[in-house]
């Protein structure tokens, strides 16, 4: 059996991904029942401790089975309302020397999302959700240097009754290809399509439906050095809201371009099984709203992240 422990600290400039316009009122809207009630800072230092265990079984000379269980807990230094735990489980079955099937499940209980206004124009209140994600994947090796695969993920997110219009059910299908050529370079790319259905609510006389469709492409490249391994990954998602209610000026004919840029570096340290982890990233949502009176500053966001961590395998 193999165990892995991870300790990471990261700083995020906008962990709750509020728009620029909303954050401009942060200091003025922190009273009871206001948008930022319970939050002490726009950015935060987040520390995550995770433990994962894996056990493998050799079924015969060509087939292996691996089971994994893991737990992570994240602590927010200034906004403790956002502390959360994530549980995960996985199963990997090597059906042949070149064919691998994987199953995965993740559960996040009672995670703070944001403060949302309660129904009927009432005060803002903390919105926490439970989320379950299930996934299945098939990967096949194509010779010595190539592999490709397909997968499916199901996501169910549920809020308390006051915010059940934000409940979300999503189905995502994806395909990927990876190349590990002889030498220090590796690369891969994934394409995905997903549909996400939400509840609906009335705001005044306008029916609000946040359902959307997403397409995405995620290329990455990895470079091995003597002591370091560095990876650059880009994730692009185009999200199109599907509401046909023209009076919903924040979602009707709206198409968002979401970008995520991430750089990670890993280095082996002097102690066996111990690694140093560094990373930096940018998350950007450029919201394309049809109504000229609603700007991207009102509904888009920017987030910058830097972090450092240690990983120990034993």
């Amino acid at each position: 059996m193999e165990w892995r422990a991870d300790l990471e600290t990261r700083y995020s400039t906008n962990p709750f991904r509020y728009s620029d316009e909303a954050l401009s009122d942060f200091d003025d809207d922190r009273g009871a029942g206001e948008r930022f009630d319970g939050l002490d800072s726009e950015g935060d230092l987040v520390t995550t401790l995770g433990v994962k265990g894996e056990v493998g079984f050799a079924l015969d000379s060509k087939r292996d089975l691996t089971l994994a269980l893991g737990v992570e807990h994240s602590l927010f230094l200034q906004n403790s309302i956002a502390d959360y735990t994530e549980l995960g489980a996985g199963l990997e079955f090597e059906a042949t020397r070149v064919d691998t099937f994987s199953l995965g499940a993740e559960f996040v209980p009672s995670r703070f999302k944001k403060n949302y206004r309660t129904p009927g124009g009432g005060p803002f209140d903390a919105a926490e959700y439970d989320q379950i994600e299930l996934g299945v994947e098939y990967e096949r090796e194509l010779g010595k240097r190539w592999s490709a695969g397909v997968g499916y993920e199901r996501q169910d997110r549920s809020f308390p009754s006051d915010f059940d219009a934000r409940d979300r059910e999503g189905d995502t299908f994806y395909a990927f290809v990876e190349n590990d050529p002889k030498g220090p370079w590796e690369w891969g790319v994934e394409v995905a399509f997903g549909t996400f259905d939400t509840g609906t609510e009335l705001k005044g006389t306008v029916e609000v439906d946040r359902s959307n469709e997403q397409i995405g492409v995620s290329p990455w490249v990895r470079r091995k050095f003597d002591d370091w391994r560095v990876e650059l990954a880009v994730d692009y998602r185009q999200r199109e809201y599907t509401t046909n209610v023209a009076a919903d000026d924040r979602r009707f004919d709206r198409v968002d371009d979401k970008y995520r840029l991430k750089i990670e570096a890993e280095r082996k340290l002097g102690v066996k099984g111990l690694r140093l982890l560094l990373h930096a990233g940018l998350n950007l949502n450029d919201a394309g709203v049809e109504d000229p009176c609603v700007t991207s500053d009102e509904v888009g966001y920017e987030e910058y992240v830097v972090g450092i961590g240690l990983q120990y395998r034993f």
Side-chain angles (χ1 to χ4, degrees), residues 29-40:
D29 290 345
R30 293 173 55 194
E34 294 186 316
R35 184 186 297 273
F36 301 109
D37 182 14
L39 299 180
D40 291 327

Side-chain angles (χ1 to χ4, degrees), residues 44-47 75-80 83:
D44 211 338
L45 192 69
V46 186
T47 298
L75 297 169
F76 287 68
L77 180 64
Q78 295 180 281
N79 300 296
S80 59
D83 295 352

Side-chain angles (χ1 to χ4, degrees), residues 201-208 245-249:
E201 63 178 324
L202 283 177
K203 288 193 172 183
T205 60
V206 178
E207 183 182 55
V208 174
V245 180
D248 183 3
D249 56 6

Side-chain angles (χ1 to χ4, degrees), residues 154-199:
R154 171 71 178 184
Q155 181 191 89
D156 288 288
R157 178 183 292 182
S158 60
F159 287 87
S161 57
D162 277 352
F163 304 111
D164 57 7
R166 298 179 182 272
D167 289 355
R168 185 170 74 180
E169 297 179 351
D171 299 284
T172 301
F173 300 87
Y174 63 90
F176 63 90
V177 61
E178 298 179 358
N179 179 239
D180 183 8
K182 188 176 182 180
W185 293 93
E186 302 173 55
W187 65 271
V189 63
E190 178 182 295
V191 293
F193 172 76
T195 59
F196 298 87
D197 296 323
T198 70

Side-chain angles (χ1 to χ4, degrees), residues 1 5 12 22 33 51 60 100 102 118 170 174 176 200 217 252 261 279:
M1 188 169 186
S12 167
V51 178
D60 56 37
T100 302
S102 303
T118 51
Y174 63 90
F176 63 90
T200 61
V217 58
F252 181 69
L261 174 65
H279 78 267

Side-chain angles (χ1 to χ4, degrees), residues 92 98 100-102 136-142 146-153 173-179 187-193 216-220 237:
E92 183 177 277
V98 296
T100 302
F101 295 88
S102 303
V136 58
E137 182 179 286
Y138 165 69
E139 182 176 4
R140 182 176 178 84
E141 295 182 12
L142 306 172
W146 291 86
S147 63
V150 294
Y152 164 76
E153 293 179 349
F173 300 87
Y174 63 90
F176 63 90
V177 61
E178 298 179 358
N179 179 239
W187 65 271
V189 63
E190 178 182 295
V191 293
F193 172 76
V217 58
S218 306
W220 60 265
R237 289 287 186 273

